[in-house]
Structure formats: structure tokens, C-alpha cells
Amino acid sequence: MATEVAPPRPVAMADLKGRVDPDWCPGCGDFGVLAAVQKALVELQIPNHEVITISGIGCSSNFPGFIETYGMHTLHGRSLAVATGMQLANHEMTVLVTGGDGDGFGIGGNHFTHTMRRNVNLTYIVMDNQIYGLTTGQTSPTSRIGMKTKSMPFGNIEAPINPISLALAGGATFIARGFSADQKHLTELIKRGIRHQGFSFIDVFSPCVTYNHDNTFQWFRPRVKKLEDDAAYDPTNWLAAMEKSVLWGDEIPIGRFFERNDVSSLHAAEPVLKAGPLAHQDLRIPEDAAKSFVDELM
Amino acid sequence: MRQSFAVGIGGAAGQGVATPGDIFAKVFSRRGLHLNAYNAYQSIIRGGHTFLVIRTGADPITNIGDQLDLLIPLNQDTMDRHLRLLGPGGACIYNADSIRPGTATQGVQLCPLPVATLADITRNKVAQNTLAIGAALSMLGIGFQSLESVLEEQFKKKDRSVIDENISVARAGYDYATQNFKPFAQPLAMTENRYAVLSGNAALAMGGAAAGVKFYCAYPMSPSTGVLHWMAEHARKANILVRQVEDEIGVINMAIGAAQAGVRAMCATSGGGFALMSEGLGLSAQAEIPVVVIDCQRAGPSTGVPTKTEQGDLWQMLGAAFGDYPRAIAAPLDIGDCFTLIPEMFNLVDRFQCPGIVLCDLLLAEGRLSVDPKLLNFRPPIDRGELIVSNGAADHEPYKRYLITESGVSPRAIPGIPGYTHVVSSDEHDEDGVLISDEYTNAAKRRAMMEKRMRKVSGIEASVAPPKLQGPANADVTLVGWGSTQGVIEEACELLKDEGITANQLQIRWLVPLHGDAIVEILKKAKHTIIVENNFSGQFARYLRSETSFVPDGSIRKYDGEPFMPHHIVEAVKEQLAGKTKLSVPAHEVMV
């Protein structure tokens, strides 16, 4: 008996509004990222049940609770590993991974590296505030040299990592940087990232208004320059992207640094998934396969 | 007493111990015989010392036994170490050109092979191995045709000339032995039965395939790597997605991600890798996402002895991850049980949405056993528990992922279904999945959620049968073991009977749930209780005591890296019944 299916209704912002309001500090950069993600999903018209938002632990990792999609709020640093399992087991879901710089580049650095080289089809949005917020203000892997925090009160003496250069070296196939104060630009980057088949990395300047007094909205605003405004910039040129990635100072590029579409994403290269998403496949293995497994032991 | 025949083959790694082992295993299984094989080796790719024992017979062979009937030393070292394992009636076949015989027990036949005369050793580096196999089969009264067909199969991927050369070398050894050596008193038995021969690792992997595992991931770690190898090799036929991951932290989290998508996900490791998985295990429990983790124990702590066996991880499993949460832990009793336990474990963890741990060890993982192929049932019952996989046509109540129920189990919706969006969380949460760990901290909700999860413990207990006493009632001694010691304790009981001591056995398969009351009910009726385990501190004895206050009369423990042999247990029981000690630590007399 055929069941009646309701005609699809356009996806609206209200569908994506979370059950609770974000508990971020007033003025936190993460509000802008949340709004940009919601707008991107509305503009792409992806229904909320086809999206899963997966995070680690930290202020920005509370994200899945503030958007109405499927969600997983996992362990500190492990979001990409969990998301890889989810994406491979059901590649029809749109997988978004959200988190912070400590979660992704510190404790989760190993998974970041390997998810890039695997080219897992997901969009990884890092709300990079150059500080540990939820643990009340310690140095993060992206904190600048000299920055004073509770864990380095006399100033950081370690060089920060450069997430964009790292992603370029790591083989990510879509690499962008956004600024949470530039909603429209960020929304476009997220849409492109979701549409991209493969690992999309979007590092977002999302200032911490409570603990980071160095990298504030006011500090970023005059410095960020959109790559899209430079007609000569070619985001398929890896070397050019690498040159741009190291710029830091009076001019900090944001936008789409790099994209290549000639690399298969992991699930597309996996023969077992030719029969459809793993989650929809029969649990039982074929009779003849079972028989052959025993026969080879006889 | 069971009739059996044991062959030992030893040499340096790289000298080709494995191939003769495979050939003997095939010859034995083609004759319808049972077999049990164990390879003692070192963490080295070339050199060192490798010693493979294959014991065969018409009755089930539950362990490698106490002595050898045939020794094939491929180097002097093996001759020196292992000749004493031969009993009267046994034989040692060796290369007379390069190995000096040692002093053997009275009644042992020394069989020197003039290798350089019988084969062209410049062309065939492993001629001594093939000659010895040929000689052995002649002495066992087996027709050459049996060996010829196994050699054809063994080398089928090689050139015809290689196969022919191996057959002709084997023939030379066979004929030389027929003319020069005394055959064994008993020709090797033969039956109409046919068995599958497999390792515990293959059994665990196949058990996963039978259970409907669709996602398997691992980081290589001895002695569990064989599970990954089987999975990788058979993935496409079995439609299982197999990934090698950057580390075990990634492994458990990737498995959890796949499990949340609705598939059955499994991973295997050893103690060190499991330590890295510990936090992930807590995520499985807290987010209520079922996964099965296999731990093939090796001798620890730390890197420990990577190629040696131990039952030393029990307390790591009991204490894995912080906080209280429901879990299931079971130890397979033999290689066949490695297969059957996996579907059982998946049904349990799917029903109770919690992590399940299979506590195997190197002895089973890398050992090989003949099992009745009917045991390898790829259509076991599958119970996925309360799983919502479609929204159907009807309206439903607003979905609560962590709905508080009497059983503690909340129906689990799989991502992708319209109308069931929710967040699963490692943070404490309310019924709706909203975090109550931070801003919304709420003592009453936390308590309710904790009690909901912990109510699953009694459901898990009710789903697993308590252990049963094996052997005669009112025995002189009751031996308690867990997991892989099933076979060796069983044979020790038979040997004790021959010496006039009646013994029975209580073997523990499910460690959590333990059924402590049922165990104590059995043990308090026993005349003398001894707990046998492959570790230093008596981990199971301490666990049983912590759960039940029960203290056994004695303990037999071994922690030298090698498994128990039957006589270790027999002698320890005798000394304990004679009141000489309460703790026996048998010495492994043969250095392997």
C-alpha cells in the first residue's frame, strides 16, 4: 500500500532554529557563524533531516544544540573521526563539522591531518578565536607569539600554526577563510564548501569577546581583504594559495584560497558503497559469499 | 585419555616455519582429524626463534598438550631447546648436514636426513623443510598422494616447475624415511568428518560478518591485526566497509560515527590500543550508541611482550572510561566461540545501546583450531533492539532520543528520517538531548538520566545465562577459569581423573554481567576451589571477591607469556590438595 507523502515545503530559517538559544557570551563571533550556516542551508534548500552537525567540545562545539538538524556532540578533538564514520556509513547525509581551534588543531590535530588526506566529503567549519574559551582563557595552537593568557601569563613563546597553510600541505581539496562579521561572504563560502565533493575546510575568524583582547572584531575589520576582490587571484593555483596563506599583518586574506575537483572523495572511491549507503544495505551477507568464506577454511 | 599426535616445528623467523605448519594442518584436516595449533614467536621479522606446535587427533583437541610426538628442528637452536619435549615413541627429523642431535629421552628415534644428497640445496633453500615433511608422512603411514595434492594446493600460485620440484623433494624425503626410519607405532587416524581450520582472529572477523557488521576499522596491533587482515581481504565479498585509521582514538570514534548512522560497527585492538579507546567507550555509553570492541590481550603493561599471551586486561575493561555506565564484557572460550560470541554481543549491545567488549587473547587470536563448519552459521538471530528506521505515514509524538523508560532503553532513531532530528551528546542531557551539563545544570534531571541508563544493567543481566558447572558433581577439586583456558582446564580435569583425583570446572564466559550469586551458589558447595588464570595478580579472583566476597582455596597463575599446558595445572592441583601451597606459579620449562 502506497503511503501518502506530503509535498515538500521550502526549507525556512524557522526549521533550523535550535531548541534552546545559544549560551555564548553576548557579542561572541560564533553567533555570526551559526546564522551563516542556517542561511546557507536555506539557500541550498537542504531539509534539516538530511543534515547532521557534528562537533567536539568547547564553546563553539555547543553548536549542534543551537541548530535544528541531526546532531552529535562528541568528545574533545574527535569530531572529525566521528564524522568520517557517519559520512562513510550514510553518504547521503550532508555532514557539517563545527568546532574551535583548540578542538581541531590542538587535541584533534591528528584527525584533522588524516581527514584532509582522505578527502572525506564533509564541511569542516572552525570557529577560530585564537584562545581556549570554555576553560576560561588559555593559549591555543593559533595564539600569536607574545599573547598573554592564564596559561602563559608572561606571553606565548610558541609559534602558532597556520591552518590555511597546513590544510594546503595536507591535501584538503577546498580551503577557505571567513570572518564572522561578514555574514554574506561567509554564507557564500559555506554554500560552496557544502557543494564541494570532498573535504571542505573553512577557518573562520570568530573573535572571543571575553578572553582574547588581541584578536578582536576591531583588530580584524581593517585587516581582512577578500580574495574575491582580486580578479587576478586563481583559487586553482596551489602555489599562489600557499603564498597568500602566509600573509598576516596589515593585510589578512579571507575567501576561497583553494579548490580542486579532480580528486575523488573517499566514499566515491569505496567499491562497497556502489550498492548505496551502508546504512541502507542488507545486514546479511550474500549466501554464496558466506559459503566461500567457510570453503576456504576446509 | 584422548589419542593425539603433536608435531613441533621450530626455526628462526624467515626460515619457513609457517609453510610446513600449513601443510601439516591441511594433511591432518583432509584426514578428518581435529587440530589445535599455537605458534610461539618473537616480535621480529627475520631471525629470533619461532616454534609452531600442531596437535591432531580424532577427538576434539582443546590445547597443544604436554609433549611432542614429532620434532622438526630447522636449526640447531630448536634442537637444543625442544628435544626434551619428545616422549618415548617420538621422533626427531633433522638436517644431518647442519644440525647436531642432542641427548634425547629413552625411546626417542633420531632421524637424520642427508639433505645435500637428497636434494639440490643450491636451488631450493627450504629443501630440508620439504624433505622432513615427506619423511614425517611416510612414518605416519600416510600415502604420498595425500601430500602431493596438498603441495599442489599450497603452491598453486607458483610456476609448474616450482610445484614439481617441491613434490619431487618431498618424494625423496618420503622414500628415504620408508627405507631408513622406523614408522610410528600408531599410524595417523582417519575419519569421514571434515572440519574448517581457522584462527581466532579469522573467527572474530567472520563472526562480525555473520552478525551483520557493515563497518570495521582498526589500527594494526598484535595480536589483533589478523581481524583487520580478514576483514580487508573479504570486505568486497561481504559488503563490509573496512578502514585503517590513524590511531585507536580515531578507530573507536569512527566506529561510533558509523554506528550512529545505524550500521553495526566493530573494531579490534590489543591492550595498548584499548587504553586509547577508553574515552570513546564512555562516549558510546553516554550517547547510547552501541559498538563492539575486541581486545586481543597480550602480555603487558605498556608495549609489554607483543607476541605473548596473557589474561591481564580484565581490570582495564572493568574500569575503562570514567563514570558509571552499563557495559557488557565476555571472553570467548575457544576459537569456535570467537565466532559465535560476536552476534550474541551485537544483539545485546543493540538492545541495550551500550558498548560491548570481547576479551580475547593471543592464544585464541593467533592459535588455530578445527571446528565443525556447521558452527560457522552466517544466519544467526539478529535483534537490533528498539530502532526507528522510518517515520512511517502516521504523525508521532515529538521525538525524545533519551526518553525515560522503565527498561532504561529509549527508542533510537537513525539520522536521515524526517521529523526525528535530535542531538546525541557526550555531555549529560535531558530526554530531548538538550545539554544539562553546563548552563542548565539540573540535579534532578541528571539523577533521572543516570538512573535511566543504569536500569539497563538489570536488563543485560537477565539476557545472559549464568555459568554452569562442567564435569562430575562432588569432585575433589573445582577449577575456575575464564575465557581461553577452557580447553586446557578441561584436559587437566581428565588427566587428574587418570590419577584418581576427580575434578570439575566452572568456566566463565560472561564477565559482565557476572551472575555472582549463581557462581557463589556453585562454589560454596565445592570441596576445594582453585582459580586458574594467565596473569600475575589473579585479576578474576580479585574481581569475584570484589563482587561476591568469595575467596577460593587456592590459585594457579602464569604470567611468563606462554599459555598453560595441562601438566602445569595437574601438578599445581596435586601440590595444593596436598596442602603444600595456596598459590602455584607453574614454570614454563621449555624456552620458546
Side-chain angles (χ1 to χ4, degrees):
Chain A
M1 200 170 70
T3 51
E4 257 180 63
V5 179
R9 188 171 52 79
V11 176
M13 279 301 267
D15 299 332
L16 296 161
K17 189 181 176 333
R19 294 173 199 194
V20 291
D21 291 331
D23 56 3
W24 294 315
C25 302
C28 173
D30 296 352
F31 285 100
V33 182
L34 174 62
V37 169
Q38 289 165 325
K39 274 184 204 156
L41 292 172
V42 170
E43 287 177 24
L44 292 170
Q45 286 292 297
I46 305 174
N48 63 1
H49 68 269
E50 291 176 13
V51 180
I52 187 156
T53 312
I54 300 177
S55 72
I57 296 295
C59 292
S60 54
S61 284
N62 286 341
F63 194 104
F66 309 140
I67 185 169
E68 191 62 33
T69 65
Y70 280 97
M72 295 181 80
H73 188 190
T74 75
L75 297 169
H76 195 31
R78 311 305 163 209
S79 56
L80 285 173
V82 174
T84 299
M86 168 61 67
Q87 202 279 332
L88 290 176
N90 189 349
H91 60 262
E92 286 179 351
M93 296 294 287
T94 295
V95 180
L96 304 178
V97 182
T98 57
D101 41 303
D103 184 80
F105 311 140
I107 192 168
N110 199 21
H111 308 305
F112 180 48
T113 315
H114 292 278
T115 312
M116 284 195 280
R117 76 175 170 87
R118 291 188 181 115
N119 202 29
V120 182
N121 188 26
L122 55 82
T123 303
Y124 182 34
I125 301 164
V126 175
M127 283 152 266
D128 191 346
N129 57 11
Q130 294 96 354
I131 193 98
Y132 281 78
L134 202 53
T135 48
T136 71
Q138 297 80 23
T139 305
S140 102
T142 51
S143 299
R144 68 168 180 86
I145 291 179
M147 184 170 164
K148 291 181 180 172
T149 69
K150 283 183 190 160
S151 61
M152 298 204 186
F154 307 106
N156 180 21
I157 57 168
E158 297 176 6
I161 65 156
N162 181 328
I164 301 294
S165 311
L166 188 65
L168 281 162
T173 52
F174 179 98
I175 300 164
R177 183 192 275 152
F179 179 34
S180 86
D182 193 336
Q183 281 272 312
K184 203 163 165 248
H185 180 247
L186 180 58
T187 303
E188 281 309 311
L189 291 177
I190 294 170
K191 279 164 65 183
R192 283 196 99 113
I194 292 172
R195 279 202 303 259
H196 173 74
Q197 291 297 304
F199 182 79
S200 306
F201 172 56
I202 307 170
D203 192 41
V204 184
F205 294 140
S206 181
C208 173
V209 294
T210 305
Y211 295 110
N212 189 335
H213 307 296
D214 290 18
N215 310 105
T216 60
F217 281 106
Q218 294 73 12
W219 187 87
F220 279 115
R221 219 168 251 130
R223 289 178 169 80
V224 294
K225 296 275 181 303
K226 287 177 199 150
L227 291 166
E228 287 75 10
D229 292 344
D230 176 1
Y233 185 73
D234 173 11
T236 66
N237 184 335
W238 187 89
L239 274 177
M242 198 53 122
E243 277 177 25
K244 284 284 184 193
S245 76
V246 296
L247 293 179
W248 191 271
D250 293 341
E251 185 186 329
I252 302 173
I254 61 170
R256 186 168 55 121
F257 278 78
F258 182 70
E259 181 169 3
R260 63 184 292 185
N261 292 296
D262 57 339
V263 182
S264 171
S265 57
L266 184 61
H267 75 275
E270 179 55 70
V272 170
L273 298 181
K274 296 279 185 276
L278 217 50
H280 302 164
Q281 288 187 26
D282 189 5
L283 240 69
R284 299 285 192 186
I285 63 167
E287 289 278 1
D288 58 330
K291 188 178 176 307
S292 77
F293 298 157
V294 178
D295 285 349
E296 69 184 67
L297 305 170
M298 300 296 291
Chain B
M1 213 173 89
R2 300 174 196 207
Q3 291 292 323
S4 70
F5 184 89
V7 190
I9 308 164
Q15 257 197 315
V17 172
T19 306
D22 289 345
I23 292 169
F24 274 115
K26 283 211 172 85
V27 169
F28 296 155
S29 71
R30 296 289 142 79
R31 290 180 75 80
L33 299 180
H34 275 288
L35 68 88
N36 189 310
Y38 175 70
N39 189 21
Y41 70 109
Q42 295 151 1
S43 191
I44 188 168
I45 305 302
R46 289 278 181 275
H49 177 62
T50 296
F51 191 64
L52 173 69
V53 174
I54 306 175
R55 189 179 177 210
T56 190
D59 298 321
I61 304 291
T62 64
N63 66 91
I64 55 161
D66 286 320
Q67 59 177 29
L68 295 179
D69 299 284
L70 171 64
L71 174 66
I72 303 179
L74 303 179
N75 59 8
Q76 188 67 46
D77 187 31
T78 307
M79 175 68 91
D80 298 342
R81 289 172 192 245
H82 300 295
L83 187 60
R84 73 184 99 164
L85 281 175
L86 287 169
C92 175
I93 304 174
Y94 62 99
N95 182 346
D97 302 340
S98 60
I99 299 170
R100 294 179 314 280
T103 313
T105 309
Q106 187 81 32
V108 168
Q109 183 187 189
L110 291 171
C111 308
L113 285 171
V115 171
T117 323
L118 295 172
D120 181 355
I121 54 166
T122 58
R123 288 200 310 137
N124 190 339
K125 296 264 186 299
V126 291
Q128 64 163 349
N129 307 6
T130 316
L131 285 167
I133 296 167
L137 264 70
S138 154
M139 293 164 73
L140 278 163
I142 299 173
F144 187 72
Q145 179 53 40
S146 307
L147 178 56
E148 197 172 336
S149 65
V150 169
L151 289 172
E152 288 270 1
E153 194 185 317
Q154 183 74 22
F155 298 109
K156 67 180 172 223
K157 285 183 185 151
K158 310 237 170 169
D159 286 345
R160 186 69 236 170
S161 61
V162 176
I163 300 172
D164 288 342
E165 168 157 346
N166 272 288
I167 291 172
S168 98
V169 172
R171 178 94 233 178
Y174 190 92
D175 291 343
Y176 185 83
T178 308
Q179 287 152 24
N180 296 286
F181 305 144
K182 189 156 61 80
F184 288 103
Q186 293 271 335
L188 200 62
M190 202 155 129
T191 80
E192 292 302 312
N193 303 325
R194 286 297 175 268
Y195 303 110
V197 177
L198 74 170
S199 67
N201 278 333
L204 291 163
M206 290 168 75
V213 167
K214 302 298 293 177
F215 189 89
Y216 179 83
C217 59
Y219 183 86
M221 185 171 189
S222 299
S224 67
T225 317
V227 184
L228 173 62
H229 291 172
W230 191 96
M231 282 291 188
E233 192 185 337
H234 298 87
R236 293 184 188 187
K237 264 191 177 173
N239 293 324
I240 298 173
L241 200 151
V242 180
R243 303 305 318 154
Q244 180 179 331
V245 183
E246 58 271 19
D247 57 30
E248 289 88 348
I249 299 175
V251 167
I252 182 90
N253 285 288
M254 215 177 267
I256 288 170
Q260 176 61 10
V263 304
R264 282 188 160 178
M266 182 168 92
C267 49
T269 184
S270 188
F274 190 90
L276 296 186
M277 292 185 179
S278 185
E279 192 187 22
L281 215 70
L283 170 61
S284 157
Q286 176 78 339
E288 305 194 43
I289 302 168
V291 285
V292 171
V293 181
I294 297 165
D295 173 35
C296 296
Q297 301 166 95
R298 70 191 212 189
S302 191
T303 308
V305 198
T307 62
K308 296 295 170 188
T309 198
E310 201 163 273
Q311 295 181 300
D313 292 5
L314 176 58
W315 280 82
Q316 182 181 206
M317 302 303 131
L318 294 169
F322 45 94
D324 286 318
Y325 64 89
R327 75 190 88 193
I329 307 175
L333 304 180
D334 61 26
I335 288 171
D337 199 30
C338 288
F339 183 95
T340 47
L341 181 58
I342 302 289
E344 281 180 52
M345 184 61 94
F346 266 105
N347 287 346
L348 197 68
V349 301
D350 259 356
R351 284 174 56 209
F352 293 98
Q353 302 175 12
C354 69
I357 299 166
V358 173
L359 199 45
C360 190
D361 56 24
L362 182 142
L363 176 63
L364 298 184
E366 296 195 339
R368 274 182 294 168
L369 185 73
S370 53
V371 302
D372 184 339
K374 285 201 278 295
L375 186 88
L376 305 175
N377 172 18
F378 279 85
R379 290 288 182 274
I382 286 181
D383 183 352
R384 299 234 48 201
E386 295 183 53
L387 204 61
I388 300 168
V389 293
S390 132
N391 65 337
D395 284 343
H396 59 83
E397 293 287 301
Y399 176 64
K400 288 180 173 172
R401 170 63 189 92
Y402 298 113
L403 184 72
I404 291 183
T405 61
E406 209 170 307
S407 66
V409 176
S410 321
R412 187 160 81 97
I414 293 311
I417 310 165
Y420 285 86
T421 50
H422 65 275
V423 179
V424 293
S425 180
S426 67
D427 280 75
E428 191 59 281
H429 38 257
D430 65 11
E431 287 182 275
D432 210 15
V434 172
L435 307 194
I436 56 166
S437 60
D438 301 328
E439 188 186 347
Y440 310 106
T441 301
N442 179 318
K445 285 187 177 180
R446 155 69 180 176
R447 177 175 167 173
M449 202 47 69
M450 196 70 193
E451 289 172 353
K452 167 196 128 58
R453 281 191 299 272
M454 294 311 284
R455 277 200 292 279
K456 297 192 237 175
V457 168
S458 54
I460 294 170
E461 186 164 34
S463 305
V464 170
K468 288 201 179 99
L469 195 67
Q470 309 164 36
N474 306 316
D476 300 326
V477 63
T478 297
L479 298 175
V480 183
W482 59 280
S484 66
T485 53
Q486 160 74 30
V488 72
I489 295 176
E490 191 183 309
E491 185 156 339
C493 288
E494 291 171 16
L495 295 171
L496 284 163
K497 190 178 165 209
D498 295 342
E499 302 202 27
I501 298 166
T502 55
N504 54 23
Q505 177 180 5
L506 183 65
Q507 195 71 16
I508 307 299
R509 183 175 187 249
W510 285 94
L511 293 149
V512 177
L514 181 68
H515 287 293
D517 292 347
I519 292 174
V520 170
E521 199 57 38
I522 293 168
L523 294 184
K524 75 180 185 198
K525 290 183 201 140
K527 287 186 196 154
H528 192 100
T529 53
I530 299 176
I531 299 185
V532 183
E533 48 190 322
N534 234 178
N535 61 53
F536 180 89
S537 68
Q539 294 198 6
F540 178 76
R542 290 195 287 124
Y543 172 44
L544 184 64
R545 187 172 184 175
S546 78
E547 292 289 309
T548 66
S549 303
F550 180 84
V551 180
D553 296 308
S555 302
I556 306 174
R557 296 177 196 159
K558 198 162 179 289
Y559 41 88
D560 53 24
E562 296 301 329
F564 283 104
M565 293 161 91
H567 76 274
H568 292 140
I569 298 170
V570 169
E571 282 153 25
V573 167
K574 287 198 287 189
E575 69 176 5
Q576 294 200 16
L577 289 182
K580 287 182 195 160
T581 182
K582 288 181 171 225
L583 171 64
S584 307
V585 182
H588 207 81
E589 307 88 337
V590 183
M591 286 298 121
V592 286

